[in-house]
Amino acid sequence: MRAGLRALTSRGRSFLASGLAALLMALLLGENDLFRIGVLVTALPLLAAMVVARTRYRLSCARRLDPSRAEAGGESTVTLRLENVTRLPTGLLLIEDTVPYALGVRPRFVLDRVESRGIREIDYRVRSDLRGRYTIGPLSVRIADPFGLVELTRGFTISDTLVVTPQVVALPHVRLSGEWTGGGDSRTRSVAAAGDDDVAPREYRQGDDLRRVHWRSTARHGELMVRREEQQWQSRGALLLDTRRHAHRGEGPRSSFEVAVSAAASIGVHLAHEGLGLRLVTDQGAEHLTDMGLSWSLLDTLAVVRHSPARSLEMGITALRQGGGDGLIVAVLGALDPDEARDLARLRHSGITGVAVLLDVDSWEGAAPGTSASQLAVEAVLAGYGWRIVRLPVGTSIASVWQHAANRGRYGGAA
């Protein structure tokens, strides 16, 4: 009852004050008719408060996202399921779900009445052009009487997460040495997590099953060691994403940084579908992927990647060098200077294929693509070490230039 009285609206308080004033004047003037009116006007908000308070904890709520992982620019349908778990029907329900600003305005609905044991399902859609991880909920339900005298708010604790991933485009098939599982044609193979019987332990690598840690060898060497029995041959590769703020131009979904993230996602999904065991590295170091063979793990990580304040690629290059065993390195890069390009280029040697996707960041500022002297110098350094060059100017899809990844020792991409 106290909660109901606290939930009186302005109209309800006005009714209550008017009724009490009428009762007081009726007593002073001895007017029975006015007394009856005062009792009616006073009792109405009190009865409404009692009825609304009794229905306070009689609803259950569930939420479903379809899909729970959507591409930037795509839509997801949110379904709210409300159930009246009592034998009494509800009154007027005002429903409002909590939605981040990036997904649109907060959805509001009105349910006139939910019968005993009744179920109502409400659908609405959310859409975001910005990738990220967004929390939807909790839901709030305002229970009101038909006269608008009492309005009681109830908040549910349940919330769900919508992951907005970068845009992914289908890429044409390009033959890259070091990419494929199996032998022949100088394809680089490396040991991943299971194969021929070999009980000798080795150092732990990202993606190894922790159940295979060999604790005796770990204690002896002072670092995690894993057993190599029943290991299989599998190709491995690395994807380097340049997230340095100063290396990119523009803001919002059309910035060079967002284009780089989308290109990395498209390349990563393409290679994962081709069976490559992939690891993700940024200029901040190696990123943890729950499973190197599943593209959704990569997309979830790229959904929340942000600009870094780093000024060089040193940490990323070190992480690539320490990982080892990569037959393919794909680097999605912003603005570089020739010295940084030389440090990166030295990672490629015999048996490793290097592909550099170079964003022509000057074209985001209006310059003609491929005219920057610094860009040409970087391309020359990388090509000199045997890297394959893919240019990606503003307004160009990675799908339209990816075939240039097959060009050995030549420049490729839109000019």
Side-chain angles (χ1 to χ4, degrees):
M1 188 62 185
R2 290 180 181 177
L5 291 176
R6 287 195 298 268
L8 286 172
T9 62
S10 297
R11 182 184 299 178
R13 293 189 180 94
S14 298
F15 265 68
L16 186 59
S18 300
L20 293 175
L23 288 175
L24 180 60
M25 294 304 296
L27 293 175
L28 293 176
L29 300 176
E31 291 288 341
N32 292 332
D33 291 338
L34 182 59
F35 183 82
R36 294 188 186 95
I37 293 174
V39 170
L40 176 62
V41 174
T42 303
L44 192 59
L46 295 178
L47 290 173
M50 183 181 300
V51 171
V52 171
R54 284 174 58 84
T55 60
R56 184 181 180 188
Y57 299 106
R58 301 187 177 188
L59 294 172
S60 67
C61 171
R63 183 186 295 101
R64 183 176 69 253
L65 303 181
D66 184 26
S68 60
R69 185 182 289 105
E71 278 191 17
E75 289 187 342
S76 179
T77 300
V78 182
T79 301
L80 296 172
R81 186 177 187 273
L82 286 172
E83 181 179 1
N84 179 12
V85 298
T86 66
R87 298 181 180 179
L88 296 176
T90 69
L92 186 67
L93 301 180
L94 307 176
I95 301 170
E96 181 178 8
D97 208 3
T98 303
V99 173
Y101 176 77
L103 298 183
V105 297
R106 288 190 173 189
R108 296 180 175 90
F109 306 95
V110 177
L111 292 181
D112 186 23
R113 182 178 182 274
V114 180
E115 67 277 7
S116 172
R117 308 295 180 182
I119 296 175
R120 295 289 187 274
E121 288 193 352
I122 303 171
D123 295 337
Y124 67 91
R125 294 186 177 185
V126 292
R127 178 181 182 275
S128 176
D129 292 326
L130 301 175
R131 58 189 175 76
R133 186 182 297 270
Y134 300 100
T135 300
I136 299 179
L139 180 75
S140 63
V141 177
R142 289 184 289 172
I143 304 172
D145 68 290
F147 303 104
L149 303 176
V150 179
E151 191 174 275
L152 189 66
T153 301
R154 177 191 176 187
F156 293 89
T157 59
I158 184 173
S159 62
D160 294 272
T161 300
L162 173 67
V163 179
V164 180
T165 63
Q167 289 185 338
V168 175
V169 297
L171 301 182
H173 175 72
V174 174
R175 189 177 182 86
L176 300 172
S177 60
E179 177 183 344
W180 312 103
T181 301
D185 298 329
S186 299
R187 296 171 183 167
T188 300
R189 302 185 301 176
S190 61
V191 177
D196 296 333
D197 193 16
D198 180 4
V199 296
R202 60 163 173 80
E203 70 279 1
Y204 173 82
R205 299 187 187 124
Q206 183 180 2
D208 287 337
D209 191 342
L210 290 177
R211 292 175 297 181
R212 308 189 61 160
V213 173
H214 193 273
W215 296 109
R216 183 176 300 175
S217 299
T218 297
R220 184 168 61 252
H221 290 85
E223 60 177 337
L224 280 178
M225 306 291 289
V226 295
R227 297 188 303 271
R228 296 195 294 179
E229 61 265 38
E230 298 182 357
Q231 294 187 339
Q232 64 184 8
W233 295 102
Q234 183 189 33
S235 296
R236 298 175 56 204
L239 178 62
L240 172 65
L241 174 62
D242 185 0
T243 66
R244 298 171 299 160
R245 181 178 295 276
H246 81 92
H248 291 280
R249 306 291 184 269
E251 298 292 338
R254 299 181 183 275
S255 66
S256 65
F257 177 65
E258 292 300 327
V259 171
V261 174
S262 177
S266 301
I267 295 169
V269 169
H270 174 75
L271 295 178
H273 288 171
E274 297 286 353
L276 186 74
L278 195 67
R279 62 192 182 103
L280 176 64
V281 177
T282 70
D283 49 276
Q284 297 291 293
E287 296 286 339
H288 176 68
L289 300 181
T290 56
D291 193 318
M292 294 190 298
L294 297 178
S295 57
W296 60 260
S297 177
L298 173 69
L299 291 177
D300 284 354
T301 302
L302 290 176
V304 295
V305 70
R306 294 292 180 260
H307 281 294
S308 80
R311 303 294 298 182
S312 74
L313 290 173
E314 181 179 355
M315 292 180 63
I317 294 173
T318 301
L320 287 174
R321 185 179 294 112
Q322 290 177 344
D326 298 318
L328 174 68
I329 299 177
V330 179
V332 182
L333 305 166
L336 288 179
D337 60 45
D339 290 335
E340 292 173 331
R342 190 171 293 105
D343 292 338
L344 175 64
R346 289 170 179 163
L347 291 175
R348 202 208 75 80
H349 53 77
S350 177
I352 295 181
T353 299
V355 178
V357 179
L358 297 178
L359 275 77
D360 194 345
V361 296
D362 291 331
S363 64
W364 266 261
E365 296 180 329
T371 60
S372 168
S374 176
Q375 180 88 356
L376 295 175
V378 167
E379 292 178 0
V381 169
L382 291 171
Y385 280 83
W387 284 69
R388 306 179 185 188
I389 309 299
V390 178
R391 289 178 184 162
L392 188 58
V394 63
T396 303
S397 170
I398 182 63
S400 64
V401 296
W402 179 244
Q403 68 271 14
H404 295 289
N407 297 342
R408 299 172 182 265
R410 296 197 302 266
Y411 306 141

